[in-house]
Amino acid sequence: MEIITYLLNGFAIAFQWHNILFALIGVIIGTAVGVLPGIGPMSGVALLIPVTATMTSGMPTEAAAASSIILLAGVYYGAMYGGSTTSILINTPGESSSVVTTLDGYQMAKQGRAGAALSIAAIGSFVAGIISLIGLILLAKPLSNIALQFGPAEYFSLMLLGLCAVSGLAGKSMTKALIMTVVGLMLGTIGIDTVSGIARFTYDQPVLYGGLEFLTIAVGLFALGEVFKTILEKSDSTQPIAKIKRILPTKQDLKDSAIPITRGSLMGFFIGVLPGAGASIASFFSYITEKKFSKNPDSFGKGNIAGVAGPESANNAASGGAMIPLLTLGIPGSGTTAILMGAFIMYNVQPGPLLFDDHPDIAWGLIASMFIGNLFLLILNMPLVKVFAKVVQTPPKYLLPIIIAISFFGVYAVQYNTFDLYLLLACGFLGYLFSKHDYPVAPLVLALVLGPMMENNMRRALTISNGDWKIFITQPLSLIFIVIAVAWILVPIILKLIGRKVIVTDEG
């Protein structure tokens, strides 16, 4: 009952007219930020902190903090939805957690089902937002205690499991998927080593000291790769783009999406609780899980709606889950929540165990505003599905320059240097070559994200154990993750060998 009282007080704060306005502004800006490739929620929230400080300058400190955090949080979870729009329509991930959505979302758009894909993304985002908020209210402290049990060894093993599970995205060849995984890990080592301070694979080029920007590679491989494919493989007879006759999903679409949305929401929430895991990992794990559970796994990558519903739900739920360690422990669960933590501290509000006691209006007002913001997202985006869906009907001669312009603008807006523009072009051409020769791009992208985090946690674990590698198998959770990872690779191989022996025996 005490929680209900606090939540009602939070709604009293969130329903103040100016906080409703801040929540609305936040989700609108967040959606726009998510649509623009390369900007993402982290950059969007960081850019708006000084703006919100100006907007709330005449308000009392506590009220100003609540309003500012409400707006910034709206940008955060609004961007999680917005990233799906360009992923589905033009194969351009708006931000990193939407990379997986391109795999099936864009194929659905090419089949004339962009409306259904965008609608399911909106519905999945709304359901995931509500589920994660209920979880945030009920499970904040217990889940934070579980997350505290994860040390460097457990994080390393969890990420190793993620890389092994990427064999689920392998397409026709697990070997090619593992090759791409290794390439991604190699690219992730470029830059200054954070432990020793030594430059690795930079060839005395200062521009490489910071490593390769993830979104530059992702946008290049996915968006420009598709541009190169369209240009270089263009046939003489240009096929017209299928007209989109239906905007809302069919009953079958809703039926096919119900379980992936629920599963993705729960998985995303629990992954989001783990500091450092993030929405990108949640969306990858969700996609792999849906493919494993599917009765028709070969349809993934060809326009399966579960490949949109699961990952989109997972990345939105992860944003709610990431708020738990921030609010209850003062530990940011992702880059964006780290920036949100900076906004809290700017207003002399310290996130952590005492936040709900010392500043209940801010904590519960934020949670209540997220209910309102998710409702705004559903109300705003469902009517706009028809507008978004029209984009895919744009003739290629107009659409391709738009994709190129958005890609270059998004990358330059983040990095401010021409090197990344050249890298973008190179990745675009490589994306075309990989696609042509059936090398899956998703494993490379996931390895590029996880590689630096894996290395950091591995080193921390070995430092704790004085260089003893047994720490990875003596820690129970770490051992469980490693066993699952090994099984994920070996079981399909064993089953394939058994199948071959059966065929040979039958023939004999």
Side-chain angles (χ1 to χ4, degrees):
M1 290 300 293
E2 187 180 8
I3 290 177
I4 295 174
T5 303
Y6 280 127
L7 186 60
L8 290 175
N9 290 335
F11 274 108
I13 300 294
F15 274 121
Q16 293 174 1
W17 71 267
H18 57 275
N19 285 334
I20 292 175
L21 182 62
F22 277 124
L24 178 61
I25 293 171
V27 297
I28 291 173
I29 294 174
T31 303
V33 162
V35 166
L36 292 172
I39 297 181
M42 196 185 306
S43 302
V45 172
L47 289 169
L48 284 172
I49 287 178
V51 177
T52 56
T54 304
M55 292 170 68
T56 59
S57 58
M59 300 168 64
T61 305
E62 192 88 355
S67 298
S68 295
I69 298 298
I70 284 171
L71 190 151
L72 295 172
V75 175
Y76 178 27
Y77 53 83
M80 291 299 169
Y81 171 78
S84 67
T85 303
T86 48
S87 293
I88 291 168
L89 295 179
I90 55 176
N91 204 33
T92 306
E95 34 86 30
S96 58
S97 62
S98 296
V99 168
V100 185
T101 310
T102 62
L103 300 178
D104 281 279
Y106 183 61
Q107 295 301 319
M108 287 182 67
K110 291 204 296 186
Q111 295 164 15
R113 300 171 64 206
L118 288 166
S119 296
I120 287 296
I123 294 167
S125 299
F126 176 74
V127 172
I130 298 303
I131 288 175
S132 67
L133 281 167
I134 293 171
L136 176 59
I137 293 166
L138 299 177
L139 304 173
K141 291 186 179 179
L143 286 175
S144 296
N145 291 334
I146 293 173
L148 281 174
Q149 296 178 17
F150 274 65
E154 287 80 6
Y155 275 117
F156 171 81
S157 301
L158 176 64
M159 292 168 192
L160 181 66
L161 170 59
L163 288 183
C164 292
V166 87
S167 61
L169 300 175
K172 297 177 182 177
S173 171
M174 184 185 291
T175 304
K176 289 182 177 180
L178 293 175
I179 289 172
M180 296 298 281
T181 302
V182 172
V183 171
L185 289 172
M186 291 170 65
L187 292 176
T189 61
I190 295 173
I192 298 289
D193 179 8
T194 53
V195 177
S196 65
I198 296 172
R200 301 184 299 185
F201 308 110
T202 59
Y203 304 102
D204 296 324
Q205 298 297 319
V207 74
L208 292 175
Y209 288 165
L212 300 180
E213 177 64 28
F214 165 76
L215 271 168
T216 302
I217 293 176
V219 171
L221 291 174
F222 284 94
L224 285 194
E226 189 65 29
V227 170
F228 276 111
K229 183 177 180 181
T230 304
I231 293 172
L232 296 176
E233 296 186 359
K234 185 178 180 182
S235 59
D236 294 333
S237 56
T238 305
Q239 295 182 350
I241 298 172
K243 290 187 177 180
I244 301 165
K245 298 177 182 178
R246 186 182 181 91
I247 297 299
L248 296 177
T250 62
K251 287 183 179 179
Q252 187 62 42
D253 288 334
L254 291 171
K255 184 179 177 181
D256 293 341
S257 303
I259 293 177
I261 286 174
T262 305
R263 195 156 41 207
S265 299
L266 294 172
M267 182 183 295
F269 175 71
F270 285 104
I271 290 175
V273 171
L274 302 175
S280 299
I281 296 175
S283 60
F284 271 104
F285 267 108
S286 174
Y287 189 88
I288 293 165
T289 302
E290 293 310 318
K291 189 171 182 180
K292 284 288 181 184
F293 279 100
S294 175
K295 294 178 181 177
N296 186 18
D298 291 337
S299 65
F300 279 76
K302 300 175 183 176
N304 191 320
I305 199 163
V308 175
E312 277 303 306
S313 302
N315 70 39
N316 280 271
S319 66
M323 299 297 285
I324 287 180
L326 172 67
L327 297 179
T328 61
L329 297 174
I331 300 172
S334 65
T336 311
T337 51
I339 296 170
L340 281 174
M341 183 173 178
F344 272 104
I345 294 171
M346 188 177 77
Y347 287 100
N348 295 319
V349 177
Q350 179 62 52
L354 298 177
L355 175 65
F356 288 85
D357 295 328
D358 294 346
H359 305 281
D361 287 354
I362 295 175
W364 290 102
L366 170 62
I367 292 171
S369 76
M370 292 174 76
F371 277 103
I372 298 169
N374 274 285
L375 187 60
F376 278 147
L377 277 173
L378 186 67
I379 294 170
L380 284 172
N381 286 304
M382 287 298 285
L384 291 176
V385 162
K386 193 169 184 178
V387 176
F388 291 144
K390 287 291 182 183
V391 175
V392 82
Q393 293 178 295
T394 308
K397 64 179 180 181
Y398 301 121
L399 187 59
L400 293 183
I402 292 172
I403 296 174
I404 294 170
I406 291 175
S407 300
F408 274 78
F409 171 77
V411 167
Y412 192 76
V414 175
Q415 292 298 94
Y416 297 108
N417 65 57
T418 54
F419 168 79
D420 275 77
L421 301 184
Y422 292 121
L423 179 62
L424 181 69
L425 279 172
C427 288
F429 186 66
L430 286 174
Y432 162 68
L433 292 178
F434 289 146
S435 173
K436 185 176 181 180
H437 297 285
D438 197 33
Y439 281 84
V441 176
L444 184 154
V445 173
L446 179 61
L448 185 62
V449 174
L450 292 184
M453 295 160 61
M454 283 183 67
E455 182 184 9
N456 186 32
N457 282 290
M458 182 187 73
R459 287 185 168 189
R460 288 172 57 203
L462 292 175
T463 301
I464 292 169
S465 66
N466 292 320
D468 188 355
W469 289 89
K470 287 187 287 187
I471 189 173
F472 296 109
I473 57 174
T474 54
Q475 300 292 329
L477 283 172
S478 176
L479 178 61
I480 291 170
F481 290 143
I482 289 175
V483 169
I484 297 172
V486 173
W488 209 301
I489 293 293
L490 292 182
V491 169
I493 295 173
I494 293 170
L495 291 175
K496 188 178 286 187
L497 290 174
I498 292 172
R500 285 178 181 171
K501 287 182 179 179
V502 170
I503 292 171
V504 170
T505 304
D506 289 344
E507 288 176 351

